[in-house]
Amino acid sequence: MPGEVVVRWNPVEDAKYYRIGWLSKADYEAAETADGDWMDAFVSVSVANSGQTSHTVAGLAPGASYWFVVGSSDERYGEPQWSPWSDLLKLPGGPAACAEDRDALASLHAATGGPDWRNSTNWLNPAAPIDEWFGVSTDSDGCVLVLYLDSNDLTGEIPAELADLSRLRSLHLGNNDLAGEIPPELADLDDLRVLSLVENDLSGPIPTELGGMDKLSVLDLDGNELTGLIPTELTDLAELRVLSLNRNMLSGTIPPELGAMTQLTNLELWRNELTGSIPIELTGLVNLRTLDVDENQLTGAIPPELGNLTGLKFLWLRQNQFTGEIPLELTNLNDLVVLGLDGNRLTGRIPLGFGSFAKLEYLYLYDNDLTGAIPPELGNLTELKRLHLQGNRLTGAIPPELGKLSNLENLYLDRNRLTGEIPKELDRLESLERLILDQNMLTGALPVELAHLPELRYLSVNRNMLSGAIPPELGKLTNLEQLRLDNNQFSGPIPPELGDLAKLEQLHLDNNRLSGPIPADLAFLPELALLYLTGNDFSGCIPAELLDIADNDLDELELEACEQNRGL
């Protein structure tokens, strides 16, 4: 530690106490200059002899020089038998250790458009210590420990001179407009723990030299234009916890060697151009909490061995080209909060065991080729907020057990082959905001009970075979913004109660068997911007105010506008 020295000695037979003393060169010279007694500045400490042969002296001044001496005696405060003085020892640190820091910061300022930064308070001010420069934190010696200039309008390239900040522990230059390559010289920052260069325009390969940064814990290069392979040298970063290379243009395969990085908690590689399969070796990442390889070009089966990563909370494999069935072994991931498998080519059934995810909040299985029924066991996912099963080939009825998902906010079951009636039990979903059941083969009436969903914003059941009257009770859905009932077999009149939906922006009732007059109540919906009514059998006239709706198909109804309403 800074300001500490371990003093060692040879054991002295029969000694009951040791006295360790020290004197700084500065104090000695000050006493000599003042013709004083240097012994006034001499400091010592007495310790009982318990067989030890060393003692740590703390509280010394980094960068200062000291002499040390050790004595032995029979009494704690007796006059000891002293050893010879040690050679003069200069402690590391002190202001001299930071001599290059100010110049390194000046180089950064010059290279990255410092005069145009959003905030450059005190930068280059010779009267201000650098810990008063915006974004700079220092240690007691004045050496830079943290450089935080996120979102500060930096431009240009990162200067290699930053490597002269010898004690730098955290470097944050994210959300700027930095370009060019990452300087390999940054690998000389031996004390660096965090390197964050997110959301810039950096290009070129990831320097292999970064693999030599022994203390690095976080490497975040998300949101740049980096190219080439993921360097296998990064696997030498034994202390690395977070490796985030998202949203770049990296290519090649995921290095199997990453599986040896047992300290990793986050492996984030999404939205690159990675190919090949998921290496089985990744199952060696025993501390992993997040695995995210979304939006690449990965192929092959999902390894069942991922089920061994029992600490996983977030598993994102979406938008790739994975094939085969969903491994039942994934149900071993008891701590899982998010499971994203959408946008692949997965086949087979949804495993019944998926109902055992006690902590799962988000389940994304959409846009695959999954078949079979929706497992009623999914109703056991009491923490679930989003269930997205759309765009598969699922068959059978919607399980009424889904009504037990009291925390559910989004239920997407559209673009499947579901049959039967919409379960009235869905009215228990008091947190539901989106109910999307489009493009199935659902029959029967629209349940009146859906009016019990206080948070519902989007209700879409278009392109089914639903029939019967539109429930007037839907007018109680005061938060509804979109209502899509088109392309079904609904009959009867449009309920005037729909005019109570004050937040409604879109109303799709086209291509049904509706009849009767168009309610004038719809004309007073303040947010209505889209109204589709064609393909029905309405009579009477069109309330003239409806003609002012930005997007409507009223001119196709072959009905006249109601004269008595004109000009109102």
Side-chain angles (χ1 to χ4, degrees), residues 71-91:
S72 61
S73 66
D74 293 334
E75 299 178 7
R76 178 180 292 276
Y77 300 109
E79 182 62 29
Q81 182 71 34
W82 292 105
S83 70
W85 285 93
S86 70
D87 293 333
L88 187 64
L89 175 66
K90 181 178 176 59
L91 272 61

mmCIF file with all atom_site columns, all heavy atoms in Angstrom, residues 71-91:
data_model
loop_
_atom_site.group_PDB
_atom_site.id
_atom_site.type_symbol
_atom_site.label_atom_id
_atom_site.label_alt_id
_atom_site.label_comp_id
_atom_site.label_asym_id
_atom_site.label_entity_id
_atom_site.label_seq_id
_atom_site.pdbx_PDB_ins_code
_atom_site.Cartn_x
_atom_site.Cartn_y
_atom_site.Cartn_z
_atom_site.occupancy
_atom_site.B_iso_or_equiv
_atom_site.pdbx_formal_charge
_atom_site.auth_seq_id
_atom_site.auth_comp_id
_atom_site.auth_asym_id
_atom_site.auth_atom_id
_atom_site.pdbx_PDB_model_num
ATOM 1   N N   . GLY A 1 71 ? 15.992 -1.922 17.088 1.00 0.00 ? 71 GLY A N   1
ATOM 2   C CA  . GLY A 1 71 ? 16.712 -2.186 18.336 1.00 0.00 ? 71 GLY A CA  1
ATOM 3   C C   . GLY A 1 71 ? 16.025 -3.279 19.132 1.00 0.00 ? 71 GLY A C   1
ATOM 4   O O   . GLY A 1 71 ? 14.852 -3.592 18.909 1.00 0.00 ? 71 GLY A O   1
ATOM 5   N N   . SER A 1 72 ? 16.771 -3.912 20.054 1.00 0.00 ? 72 SER A N   1
ATOM 6   C CA  . SER A 1 72 ? 16.208 -4.942 20.935 1.00 0.00 ? 72 SER A CA  1
ATOM 7   C C   . SER A 1 72 ? 16.514 -4.569 22.378 1.00 0.00 ? 72 SER A C   1
ATOM 8   O O   . SER A 1 72 ? 17.538 -3.954 22.674 1.00 0.00 ? 72 SER A O   1
ATOM 9   C CB  . SER A 1 72 ? 16.805 -6.302 20.610 1.00 0.00 ? 72 SER A CB  1
ATOM 10  O OG  . SER A 1 72 ? 18.210 -6.301 20.806 1.00 0.00 ? 72 SER A OG  1
ATOM 11  N N   . SER A 1 73 ? 15.588 -4.950 23.301 1.00 0.00 ? 73 SER A N   1
ATOM 12  C CA  . SER A 1 73 ? 15.795 -4.621 24.726 1.00 0.00 ? 73 SER A CA  1
ATOM 13  C C   . SER A 1 73 ? 15.005 -5.592 25.575 1.00 0.00 ? 73 SER A C   1
ATOM 14  O O   . SER A 1 73 ? 14.174 -6.360 25.078 1.00 0.00 ? 73 SER A O   1
ATOM 15  C CB  . SER A 1 73 ? 15.359 -3.176 25.002 1.00 0.00 ? 73 SER A CB  1
ATOM 16  O OG  . SER A 1 73 ? 13.957 -3.048 24.827 1.00 0.00 ? 73 SER A OG  1
ATOM 17  N N   . ASP A 1 74 ? 15.264 -5.525 26.886 1.00 0.00 ? 74 ASP A N   1
ATOM 18  C CA  . ASP A 1 74 ? 14.537 -6.372 27.834 1.00 0.00 ? 74 ASP A CA  1
ATOM 19  C C   . ASP A 1 74 ? 13.262 -5.691 28.332 1.00 0.00 ? 74 ASP A C   1
ATOM 20  O O   . ASP A 1 74 ? 12.425 -6.331 28.967 1.00 0.00 ? 74 ASP A O   1
ATOM 21  C CB  . ASP A 1 74 ? 15.425 -6.718 29.029 1.00 0.00 ? 74 ASP A CB  1
ATOM 22  C CG  . ASP A 1 74 ? 16.590 -7.619 28.626 1.00 0.00 ? 74 ASP A CG  1
ATOM 23  O OD1 . ASP A 1 74 ? 16.435 -8.343 27.618 1.00 0.00 ? 74 ASP A OD1 1
ATOM 24  O OD2 . ASP A 1 74 ? 17.618 -7.571 29.304 1.00 0.00 ? 74 ASP A OD2 1
ATOM 25  N N   . GLU A 1 75 ? 13.173 -4.376 28.135 1.00 0.00 ? 75 GLU A N   1
ATOM 26  C CA  . GLU A 1 75 ? 12.008 -3.642 28.608 1.00 0.00 ? 75 GLU A CA  1
ATOM 27  C C   . GLU A 1 75 ? 11.367 -2.900 27.433 1.00 0.00 ? 75 GLU A C   1
ATOM 28  O O   . GLU A 1 75 ? 12.049 -2.505 26.481 1.00 0.00 ? 75 GLU A O   1
ATOM 29  C CB  . GLU A 1 75 ? 12.414 -2.642 29.689 1.00 0.00 ? 75 GLU A CB  1
ATOM 30  C CG  . GLU A 1 75 ? 13.024 -3.291 30.912 1.00 0.00 ? 75 GLU A CG  1
ATOM 31  C CD  . GLU A 1 75 ? 13.442 -2.257 31.933 1.00 0.00 ? 75 GLU A CD  1
ATOM 32  O OE1 . GLU A 1 75 ? 13.118 -1.054 31.716 1.00 0.00 ? 75 GLU A OE1 1
ATOM 33  O OE2 . GLU A 1 75 ? 14.071 -2.643 32.930 1.00 0.00 ? 75 GLU A OE2 1
ATOM 34  N N   . ARG A 1 76 ? 10.017 -2.694 27.530 1.00 0.00 ? 76 ARG A N   1
ATOM 35  C CA  . ARG A 1 76 ? 9.323  -2.055 26.411 1.00 0.00 ? 76 ARG A CA  1
ATOM 36  C C   . ARG A 1 76 ? 9.903  -0.668 26.112 1.00 0.00 ? 76 ARG A C   1
ATOM 37  O O   . ARG A 1 76 ? 10.085 -0.308 24.946 1.00 0.00 ? 76 ARG A O   1
ATOM 38  C CB  . ARG A 1 76 ? 7.824  -1.953 26.713 1.00 0.00 ? 76 ARG A CB  1
ATOM 39  C CG  . ARG A 1 76 ? 7.018  -1.242 25.613 1.00 0.00 ? 76 ARG A CG  1
ATOM 40  C CD  . ARG A 1 76 ? 5.552  -1.164 25.946 1.00 0.00 ? 76 ARG A CD  1
ATOM 41  N NE  . ARG A 1 76 ? 4.923  -2.466 25.939 1.00 0.00 ? 76 ARG A NE  1
ATOM 42  C CZ  . ARG A 1 76 ? 4.451  -3.075 24.846 1.00 0.00 ? 76 ARG A CZ  1
ATOM 43  N NH1 . ARG A 1 76 ? 4.578  -2.491 23.654 1.00 0.00 ? 76 ARG A NH1 1
ATOM 44  N NH2 . ARG A 1 76 ? 3.892  -4.260 24.942 1.00 0.00 ? 76 ARG A NH2 1
ATOM 45  N N   . TYR A 1 77 ? 10.174 0.101  27.151 1.00 0.00 ? 77 TYR A N   1
ATOM 46  C CA  . TYR A 1 77 ? 10.672 1.442  26.905 1.00 0.00 ? 77 TYR A CA  1
ATOM 47  C C   . TYR A 1 77 ? 12.115 1.618  27.382 1.00 0.00 ? 77 TYR A C   1
ATOM 48  O O   . TYR A 1 77 ? 12.570 2.734  27.618 1.00 0.00 ? 77 TYR A O   1
ATOM 49  C CB  . TYR A 1 77 ? 9.761  2.461  27.595 1.00 0.00 ? 77 TYR A CB  1
ATOM 50  C CG  . TYR A 1 77 ? 8.341  2.376  27.082 1.00 0.00 ? 77 TYR A CG  1
ATOM 51  C CD1 . TYR A 1 77 ? 7.322  1.862  27.872 1.00 0.00 ? 77 TYR A CD1 1
ATOM 52  C CD2 . TYR A 1 77 ? 8.039  2.779  25.779 1.00 0.00 ? 77 TYR A CD2 1
ATOM 53  C CE1 . TYR A 1 77 ? 6.021  1.764  27.395 1.00 0.00 ? 77 TYR A CE1 1
ATOM 54  C CE2 . TYR A 1 77 ? 6.748  2.679  25.292 1.00 0.00 ? 77 TYR A CE2 1
ATOM 55  C CZ  . TYR A 1 77 ? 5.740  2.172  26.106 1.00 0.00 ? 77 TYR A CZ  1
ATOM 56  O OH  . TYR A 1 77 ? 4.461  2.078  25.614 1.00 0.00 ? 77 TYR A OH  1
ATOM 57  N N   . GLY A 1 78 ? 12.820 0.490  27.530 1.00 0.00 ? 78 GLY A N   1
ATOM 58  C CA  . GLY A 1 78 ? 14.229 0.572  27.899 1.00 0.00 ? 78 GLY A CA  1
ATOM 59  C C   . GLY A 1 78 ? 15.069 1.024  26.718 1.00 0.00 ? 78 GLY A C   1
ATOM 60  O O   . GLY A 1 78 ? 14.626 1.051  25.573 1.00 0.00 ? 78 GLY A O   1
ATOM 61  N N   . GLU A 1 79 ? 16.299 1.353  26.990 1.00 0.00 ? 79 GLU A N   1
ATOM 62  C CA  . GLU A 1 79 ? 17.213 1.774  25.924 1.00 0.00 ? 79 GLU A CA  1
ATOM 63  C C   . GLU A 1 79 ? 17.634 0.533  25.138 1.00 0.00 ? 79 GLU A C   1
ATOM 64  O O   . GLU A 1 79 ? 18.261 -0.374 25.686 1.00 0.00 ? 79 GLU A O   1
ATOM 65  C CB  . GLU A 1 79 ? 18.442 2.472  26.524 1.00 0.00 ? 79 GLU A CB  1
ATOM 66  C CG  . GLU A 1 79 ? 19.404 2.984  25.482 1.00 0.00 ? 79 GLU A CG  1
ATOM 67  C CD  . GLU A 1 79 ? 18.794 4.044  24.579 1.00 0.00 ? 79 GLU A CD  1
ATOM 68  O OE1 . GLU A 1 79 ? 17.880 4.774  25.020 1.00 0.00 ? 79 GLU A OE1 1
ATOM 69  O OE2 . GLU A 1 79 ? 19.214 4.123  23.408 1.00 0.00 ? 79 GLU A OE2 1
ATOM 70  N N   . PRO A 1 80 ? 17.287 0.456  23.891 1.00 0.00 ? 80 PRO A N   1
ATOM 71  C CA  . PRO A 1 80 ? 17.584 -0.772 23.123 1.00 0.00 ? 80 PRO A CA  1
ATOM 72  C C   . PRO A 1 80 ? 19.016 -0.805 22.605 1.00 0.00 ? 80 PRO A C   1
ATOM 73  O O   . PRO A 1 80 ? 19.725 0.207  22.585 1.00 0.00 ? 80 PRO A O   1
ATOM 74  C CB  . PRO A 1 80 ? 16.598 -0.681 21.958 1.00 0.00 ? 80 PRO A CB  1
ATOM 75  C CG  . PRO A 1 80 ? 16.382 0.778  21.758 1.00 0.00 ? 80 PRO A CG  1
ATOM 76  C CD  . PRO A 1 80 ? 16.496 1.414  23.111 1.00 0.00 ? 80 PRO A CD  1
ATOM 77  N N   . GLN A 1 81 ? 19.403 -1.972 22.194 1.00 0.00 ? 81 GLN A N   1
ATOM 78  C CA  . GLN A 1 81 ? 20.648 -2.168 21.458 1.00 0.00 ? 81 GLN A CA  1
ATOM 79  C C   . GLN A 1 81 ? 20.296 -2.001 19.981 1.00 0.00 ? 81 GLN A C   1
ATOM 80  O O   . GLN A 1 81 ? 19.630 -2.833 19.390 1.00 0.00 ? 81 GLN A O   1
ATOM 81  C CB  . GLN A 1 81 ? 21.191 -3.575 21.738 1.00 0.00 ? 81 GLN A CB  1
ATOM 82  C CG  . GLN A 1 81 ? 22.503 -3.886 21.067 1.00 0.00 ? 81 GLN A CG  1
ATOM 83  C CD  . GLN A 1 81 ? 23.657 -3.101 21.696 1.00 0.00 ? 81 GLN A CD  1
ATOM 84  O OE1 . GLN A 1 81 ? 23.660 -2.841 22.908 1.00 0.00 ? 81 GLN A OE1 1
ATOM 85  N NE2 . GLN A 1 81 ? 24.611 -2.718 20.871 1.00 0.00 ? 81 GLN A NE2 1
ATOM 86  N N   . TRP A 1 82 ? 20.773 -0.890 19.378 1.00 0.00 ? 82 TRP A N   1
ATOM 87  C CA  . TRP A 1 82 ? 20.337 -0.552 18.018 1.00 0.00 ? 82 TRP A CA  1
ATOM 88  C C   . TRP A 1 82 ? 21.184 -1.253 16.957 1.00 0.00 ? 82 TRP A C   1
ATOM 89  O O   . TRP A 1 82 ? 22.378 -1.480 17.135 1.00 0.00 ? 82 TRP A O   1
ATOM 90  C CB  . TRP A 1 82 ? 20.430 0.957  17.785 1.00 0.00 ? 82 TRP A CB  1
ATOM 91  C CG  . TRP A 1 82 ? 19.458 1.770  18.586 1.00 0.00 ? 82 TRP A CG  1
ATOM 92  C CD1 . TRP A 1 82 ? 19.732 2.522  19.672 1.00 0.00 ? 82 TRP A CD1 1
ATOM 93  C CD2 . TRP A 1 82 ? 18.056 1.907  18.343 1.00 0.00 ? 82 TRP A CD2 1
ATOM 94  N NE1 . TRP A 1 82 ? 18.618 3.125  20.150 1.00 0.00 ? 82 TRP A NE1 1
ATOM 95  C CE2 . TRP A 1 82 ? 17.544 2.778  19.338 1.00 0.00 ? 82 TRP A CE2 1
ATOM 96  C CE3 . TRP A 1 82 ? 17.176 1.391  17.387 1.00 0.00 ? 82 TRP A CE3 1
ATOM 97  C CZ2 . TRP A 1 82 ? 16.203 3.138  19.403 1.00 0.00 ? 82 TRP A CZ2 1
ATOM 98  C CZ3 . TRP A 1 82 ? 15.836 1.755  17.447 1.00 0.00 ? 82 TRP A CZ3 1
ATOM 99  C CH2 . TRP A 1 82 ? 15.354 2.607  18.438 1.00 0.00 ? 82 TRP A CH2 1
ATOM 100 N N   . SER A 1 83 ? 20.529 -1.533 15.854 1.00 0.00 ? 83 SER A N   1
ATOM 101 C CA  . SER A 1 83 ? 21.241 -1.997 14.656 1.00 0.00 ? 83 SER A CA  1
ATOM 102 C C   . SER A 1 83 ? 21.815 -0.783 13.925 1.00 0.00 ? 83 SER A C   1
ATOM 103 O O   . SER A 1 83 ? 21.470 0.361  14.261 1.00 0.00 ? 83 SER A O   1
ATOM 104 C CB  . SER A 1 83 ? 20.252 -2.711 13.725 1.00 0.00 ? 83 SER A CB  1
ATOM 105 O OG  . SER A 1 83 ? 19.339 -1.771 13.145 1.00 0.00 ? 83 SER A OG  1
ATOM 106 N N   . PRO A 1 84 ? 22.666 -0.994 12.937 1.00 0.00 ? 84 PRO A N   1
ATOM 107 C CA  . PRO A 1 84 ? 23.071 0.139  12.090 1.00 0.00 ? 84 PRO A CA  1
ATOM 108 C C   . PRO A 1 84 ? 21.852 0.677  11.323 1.00 0.00 ? 84 PRO A C   1
ATOM 109 O O   . PRO A 1 84 ? 20.875 -0.023 11.091 1.00 0.00 ? 84 PRO A O   1
ATOM 110 C CB  . PRO A 1 84 ? 24.090 -0.479 11.134 1.00 0.00 ? 84 PRO A CB  1
ATOM 111 C CG  . PRO A 1 84 ? 24.551 -1.726 11.810 1.00 0.00 ? 84 PRO A CG  1
ATOM 112 C CD  . PRO A 1 84 ? 23.382 -2.232 12.592 1.00 0.00 ? 84 PRO A CD  1
ATOM 113 N N   . TRP A 1 85 ? 21.934 1.945  10.928 1.00 0.00 ? 85 TRP A N   1
ATOM 114 C CA  . TRP A 1 85 ? 20.862 2.529  10.103 1.00 0.00 ? 85 TRP A CA  1
ATOM 115 C C   . TRP A 1 85 ? 20.818 1.848  8.740  1.00 0.00 ? 85 TRP A C   1
ATOM 116 O O   . TRP A 1 85 ? 21.836 1.432  8.197  1.00 0.00 ? 85 TRP A O   1
ATOM 117 C CB  . TRP A 1 85 ? 21.093 4.027  9.911  1.00 0.00 ? 85 TRP A CB  1
ATOM 118 C CG  . TRP A 1 85 ? 20.783 4.855  11.131 1.00 0.00 ? 85 TRP A CG  1
ATOM 119 C CD1 . TRP A 1 85 ? 21.656 5.227  12.102 1.00 0.00 ? 85 TRP A CD1 1
ATOM 120 C CD2 . TRP A 1 85 ? 19.511 5.379  11.477 1.00 0.00 ? 85 TRP A CD2 1
ATOM 121 N NE1 . TRP A 1 85 ? 21.024 5.969  13.065 1.00 0.00 ? 85 TRP A NE1 1
ATOM 122 C CE2 . TRP A 1 85 ? 19.677 6.086  12.708 1.00 0.00 ? 85 TRP A CE2 1
ATOM 123 C CE3 . TRP A 1 85 ? 18.238 5.340  10.904 1.00 0.00 ? 85 TRP A CE3 1
ATOM 124 C CZ2 . TRP A 1 85 ? 18.640 6.742  13.345 1.00 0.00 ? 85 TRP A CZ2 1
ATOM 125 C CZ3 . TRP A 1 85 ? 17.200 6.004  11.545 1.00 0.00 ? 85 TRP A CZ3 1
ATOM 126 C CH2 . TRP A 1 85 ? 17.399 6.672  12.749 1.00 0.00 ? 85 TRP A CH2 1
ATOM 127 N N   . SER A 1 86 ? 19.611 1.775  8.213  1.00 0.00 ? 86 SER A N   1
ATOM 128 C CA  . SER A 1 86 ? 19.449 1.241  6.859  1.00 0.00 ? 86 SER A CA  1
ATOM 129 C C   . SER A 1 86 ? 19.931 2.262  5.834  1.00 0.00 ? 86 SER A C   1
ATOM 130 O O   . SER A 1 86 ? 20.162 3.435  6.156  1.00 0.00 ? 86 SER A O   1
ATOM 131 C CB  . SER A 1 86 ? 17.974 0.938  6.587  1.00 0.00 ? 86 SER A CB  1
ATOM 132 O OG  . SER A 1 86 ? 17.239 2.159  6.472  1.00 0.00 ? 86 SER A OG  1
ATOM 133 N N   . ASP A 1 87 ? 20.094 1.814  4.618  1.00 0.00 ? 87 ASP A N   1
ATOM 134 C CA  . ASP A 1 87 ? 20.318 2.769  3.535  1.00 0.00 ? 87 ASP A CA  1
ATOM 135 C C   . ASP A 1 87 ? 19.085 3.654  3.374  1.00 0.00 ? 87 ASP A C   1
ATOM 136 O O   . ASP A 1 87 ? 17.971 3.291  3.786  1.00 0.00 ? 87 ASP A O   1
ATOM 137 C CB  . ASP A 1 87 ? 20.582 2.037  2.226  1.00 0.00 ? 87 ASP A CB  1
ATOM 138 C CG  . ASP A 1 87 ? 21.899 1.267  2.256  1.00 0.00 ? 87 ASP A CG  1
ATOM 139 O OD1 . ASP A 1 87 ? 22.805 1.683  3.012  1.00 0.00 ? 87 ASP A OD1 1
ATOM 140 O OD2 . ASP A 1 87 ? 22.004 0.253  1.530  1.00 0.00 ? 87 ASP A OD2 1
ATOM 141 N N   . LEU A 1 88 ? 19.262 4.812  2.773  1.00 0.00 ? 88 LEU A N   1
ATOM 142 C CA  . LEU A 1 88 ? 18.140 5.713  2.522  1.00 0.00 ? 88 LEU A CA  1
ATOM 143 C C   . LEU A 1 88 ? 17.187 5.061  1.530  1.00 0.00 ? 88 LEU A C   1
ATOM 144 O O   . LEU A 1 88 ? 17.589 4.626  0.444  1.00 0.00 ? 88 LEU A O   1
ATOM 145 C CB  . LEU A 1 88 ? 18.655 7.052  1.975  1.00 0.00 ? 88 LEU A CB  1
ATOM 146 C CG  . LEU A 1 88 ? 17.615 8.157  1.827  1.00 0.00 ? 88 LEU A CG  1
ATOM 147 C CD1 . LEU A 1 88 ? 17.048 8.569  3.176  1.00 0.00 ? 88 LEU A CD1 1
ATOM 148 C CD2 . LEU A 1 88 ? 18.231 9.367  1.113  1.00 0.00 ? 88 LEU A CD2 1
ATOM 149 N N   . LEU A 1 89 ? 15.908 4.994  1.909  1.00 0.00 ? 89 LEU A N   1
ATOM 150 C CA  . LEU A 1 89 ? 14.896 4.347  1.061  1.00 0.00 ? 89 LEU A CA  1
ATOM 151 C C   . LEU A 1 89 ? 13.896 5.391  0.588  1.00 0.00 ? 89 LEU A C   1
ATOM 152 O O   . LEU A 1 89 ? 13.271 6.082  1.390  1.00 0.00 ? 89 LEU A O   1
ATOM 153 C CB  . LEU A 1 89 ? 14.156 3.258  1.851  1.00 0.00 ? 89 LEU A CB  1
ATOM 154 C CG  . LEU A 1 89 ? 12.996 2.568  1.131  1.00 0.00 ? 89 LEU A CG  1
ATOM 155 C CD1 . LEU A 1 89 ? 13.509 1.767  -0.056 1.00 0.00 ? 89 LEU A CD1 1
ATOM 156 C CD2 . LEU A 1 89 ? 12.227 1.667  2.091  1.00 0.00 ? 89 LEU A CD2 1
ATOM 157 N N   . LYS A 1 90 ? 13.758 5.490  -0.727 1.00 0.00 ? 90 LYS A N   1
ATOM 158 C CA  . LYS A 1 90 ? 12.768 6.411  -1.310 1.00 0.00 ? 90 LYS A CA  1
ATOM 159 C C   . LYS A 1 90 ? 11.483 5.637  -1.572 1.00 0.00 ? 90 LYS A C   1
ATOM 160 O O   . LYS A 1 90 ? 11.483 4.642  -2.310 1.00 0.00 ? 90 LYS A O   1
ATOM 161 C CB  . LYS A 1 90 ? 13.285 7.032  -2.606 1.00 0.00 ? 90 LYS A CB  1
ATOM 162 C CG  . LYS A 1 90 ? 12.309 8.020  -3.258 1.00 0.00 ? 90 LYS A CG  1
ATOM 163 C CD  . LYS A 1 90 ? 12.925 8.636  -4.508 1.00 0.00 ? 90 LYS A CD  1
ATOM 164 C CE  . LYS A 1 90 ? 11.938 9.546  -5.219 1.00 0.00 ? 90 LYS A CE  1
ATOM 165 N NZ  . LYS A 1 90 ? 11.467 10.653 -4.382 1.00 0.00 ? 90 LYS A NZ  1
ATOM 166 N N   . LEU A 1 91 ? 10.371 6.075  -0.998 1.00 0.00 ? 91 LEU A N   1
ATOM 167 C CA  . LEU A 1 91 ? 9.088  5.411  -1.189 1.00 0.00 ? 91 LEU A CA  1
ATOM 168 C C   . LEU A 1 91 ? 8.508  5.733  -2.567 1.00 0.00 ? 91 LEU A C   1
ATOM 169 O O   . LEU A 1 91 ? 8.690  6.853  -3.079 1.00 0.00 ? 91 LEU A O   1
ATOM 170 C CB  . LEU A 1 91 ? 8.088  5.835  -0.103 1.00 0.00 ? 91 LEU A CB  1
ATOM 171 C CG  . LEU A 1 91 ? 8.105  5.016  1.184  1.00 0.00 ? 91 LEU A CG  1
ATOM 172 C CD1 . LEU A 1 91 ? 9.460  5.103  1.875  1.00 0.00 ? 91 LEU A CD1 1
ATOM 173 C CD2 . LEU A 1 91 ? 6.988  5.477  2.116  1.00 0.00 ? 91 LEU A CD2 1
#
